[in-house]
Amino acid sequence: MDSRKVAPLRLAVVQPSPFCNIDCKYCYLPERSQTHRMTQETVGQMARFLLENRRRLDRELTILWHGGEPTAVPVSFYESAFKAIRDATPEGVQVQNRFSTNATLIDDEWCDLIRRWQVTVRVSVDGPKDVHDFNRVDRAGRGTFDHVMRGIECLQRNGVAFDVISTVSRKSLECPEKIWRFYRQIDAKSLFFCVEEVLGIHANNSLETYDSFGKIRNFFSTFLDLRDREAPNLYIRELDELIEGIPRIRKHILRDEAIPLMIVSIGWDGGVSTFSPELLVARDIRYGDFIFGNVATHSLDDIWNSHKLHLVYKHIREGIKRCENSCEYFRICGGGCPAAKLFETGSFESTETLSCRLRVKAIGGLVLEHLNLEPLACRAS
């Protein structure tokens, strides 16, 4: 591949540790009981890897600390890490650190760090207690809602605004208005949703044997109606990315996760992956793992020139081409999520997945109706 054509790096998903202090039923991470931790030496190597080559960077780079629970690593780790990143950041680039957290360990010390370093926060909470505790449990099977709410109340007390990210499962689809009321009550700044998927070690999706297509449409239709009536400025990613993007489509959109090195994922040991962040912990009989190098020994250019990356990218592109030739929603989604295709069908070269049907066709169809538009015709084979 021609290194001059590489897309700018926009997002680095960094795993400070695989450990998570809770045990959600739909979690895809295989090593969430392991307490390995990224060293400060690896942090420095990561900062060099991400930031040394200005031509590889967009003007803004988000570093998302995720995958385990980032607050299971001490505050002191981030004080040193943020300084190393700041010192390595070239002129003209803005780095935004973000925590994706279950909030169960948030206290005043964490809030001080968040405010001092202007970290953005996204809290994982699935809704009110009965909905949240259905899937988001600890290792003894007990619900974690009360612990999450203590963390949220601490953020509120310290004046820290936060987004919410929620996994939509079968339980969620039973009560969309109740969930909306809860998010309004806790004053979430923006709403982000993940639809439960077959990913990693989570092989049994509660939405597979359910009237999920109609229920998903109803769920997001309820949120669209309530948002329009009560909070028109509240950002809801799954709706607003489509509402804002569809009218501008000319050919089709390209998914960041299908483009090499637009997103990179870095494990606690410095291993580097790209494409869908979930591939960092994945294995496959054809490719082995999806680690294309290490921050200690490789540069972004080295990763770009990896033979294995070329092979994976080739197969991802073949799947995208098949989607383009067969799906009327292609110009909305850009060819599907590589990780969802691999985990659900066993191949990057496949087309429709459950994720496509629920995230693209159900929600996309709803938004097209909202905008009074028809689905875009697929290209002839």
Side-chain angles (χ1 to χ4, degrees):
M1 288 182 285
D2 186 342
S3 64
R4 293 171 298 180
K5 296 180 181 178
V6 66
L9 174 60
R10 295 178 181 171
L11 172 65
V13 181
V14 179
Q15 180 191 62
S17 171
F19 178 74
C20 186
N21 62 316
I22 67 174
D23 194 26
C24 300
K25 295 176 185 177
Y26 47 58
C27 184
Y28 66 90
L29 295 170
E31 297 182 347
R32 60 186 184 270
S33 297
Q34 301 297 315
T35 56
H36 307 298
R37 184 184 301 172
M38 183 178 282
T39 66
Q40 288 301 324
E41 180 182 16
T42 301
V43 169
Q45 294 163 341
M46 176 191 73
R48 172 203 59 78
F49 172 85
L50 292 174
L51 297 162
E52 69 176 353
N53 192 338
R54 177 64 182 85
R55 69 185 176 85
R56 291 286 193 191
L57 299 170
D58 209 342
R59 286 177 294 179
E60 297 182 1
L61 172 65
T62 297
I63 298 181
L64 172 61
W65 300 89
H66 177 56
E69 168 53 40
T71 62
V73 175
V75 166
S76 58
F77 169 88
Y78 293 103
E79 290 282 9
S80 298
F82 293 164
K83 288 175 184 175
I85 292 165
R86 179 193 61 193
D87 293 346
T89 301
E91 186 176 352
V93 175
Q94 180 178 348
V95 174
Q96 176 67 66
N97 287 287
R98 176 182 296 160
F99 288 147
S100 182
T101 175
N102 60 41
T104 60
L105 302 175
I106 293 289
D107 58 16
D108 290 340
E109 186 182 14
W110 279 108
C111 291
D112 288 343
L113 174 86
I114 289 164
R115 288 199 310 256
R116 190 164 57 254
W117 285 96
Q118 298 181 309
V119 180
T120 58
V121 178
R122 189 169 295 166
V123 174
S124 296
V125 56
D126 283 354
K129 186 178 178 68
D130 61 323
V131 178
H132 178 92
D133 283 351
F134 189 78
N135 285 306
R136 298 188 65 82
V137 297
D138 63 18
R139 285 186 170 76
R142 298 169 299 202
T144 59
F145 179 82
D146 293 341
H147 298 286
V148 174
M149 286 306 301
R150 280 197 289 272
I152 287 175
E153 289 161 6
C154 186
L155 291 170
Q156 293 170 329
R157 188 171 63 250
N158 281 277
V160 176
F162 58 93
D163 300 325
V164 158
I165 187 163
S166 169
T167 296
V168 179
S169 67
R170 185 168 181 168
K171 184 70 173 178
S172 314
L173 297 181
E174 298 170 0
C175 51
E177 184 168 353
K178 182 178 178 180
I179 294 172
W180 166 265
R181 299 290 171 211
F182 170 76
Y183 290 146
R184 296 289 291 140
Q185 176 187 340
I186 64 173
D187 197 25
K189 185 175 66 172
S190 301
L191 304 183
F192 296 73
F193 291 94
C194 297
V195 176
E196 185 182 354
E197 298 179 84
V198 174
L199 286 174
I201 61 172
H202 179 59
N204 298 311
N205 187 338
S206 71
L207 300 180
E208 285 185 292
T209 57
Y210 188 53
D211 177 24
S212 47
F213 188 94
K215 297 286 188 180
I216 286 284
R217 275 188 61 106
N218 177 69
F219 183 93
F220 283 98
S221 177
T222 301
F223 268 70
L224 184 59
D225 291 344
L226 288 168
R227 193 265 298 271
D228 286 350
R229 293 203 306 265
E230 299 179 11
N233 295 321
L234 180 65
Y235 180 81
I236 303 174
R237 180 184 63 183
E238 277 57 43
L239 295 170
D240 289 323
E241 282 188 352
L242 293 168
I243 290 171
E244 295 166 8
I246 287 174
R248 297 197 298 268
I249 290 173
R250 293 297 178 264
K251 292 184 178 179
H252 63 263
I253 61 173
L254 293 174
R255 302 178 70 94
D256 288 359
E257 60 194 299
I259 302 171
L261 299 181
M262 188 168 278
I263 300 172
V264 299
S265 301
I266 301 175
W268 67 270
D269 59 354
V272 179
S273 187
T274 188
F275 306 114
S276 303
E278 297 87 357
L279 294 178
L280 179 69
V281 297
R283 294 191 65 85
D284 181 81
I285 192 169
R286 288 177 297 173
Y287 312 104
D289 60 30
F290 294 91
I291 303 301
F292 303 111
N294 192 286
V295 297
T297 52
H298 295 79
S299 67
L300 281 167
D301 283 340
D302 294 331
I303 303 297
W304 178 257
N305 292 312
S306 158
H307 173 74
K308 182 160 67 171
L309 184 141
H310 284 221
L311 179 63
V312 170
Y313 186 43
K314 176 177 180 286
H315 292 161
I316 288 173
R317 291 287 298 172
E318 288 171 359
I320 290 172
K321 192 69 173 177
R322 291 178 180 176
C323 289
E324 183 178 13
N325 289 334
S326 63
C327 182
E328 69 273 21
Y329 285 87
F330 175 76
R331 285 166 64 187
I332 292 176
C333 94
C337 168
K341 288 185 175 185
L342 183 72
F343 287 129
E344 191 173 323
T345 73
S347 173
F348 291 123
E349 300 146 282
S350 57
T351 55
E352 185 178 90
T353 63
L354 180 64
S355 174
C356 294
R357 292 192 291 277
L358 301 185
R359 291 186 61 89
V360 178
K361 294 189 173 182
I363 304 173
L366 170 67
V367 170
L368 284 166
E369 289 181 10
H370 176 75
L371 297 172
N372 295 314
L373 296 172
E374 296 294 328
L376 301 163
C378 64
R379 174 178 162 180
S381 300

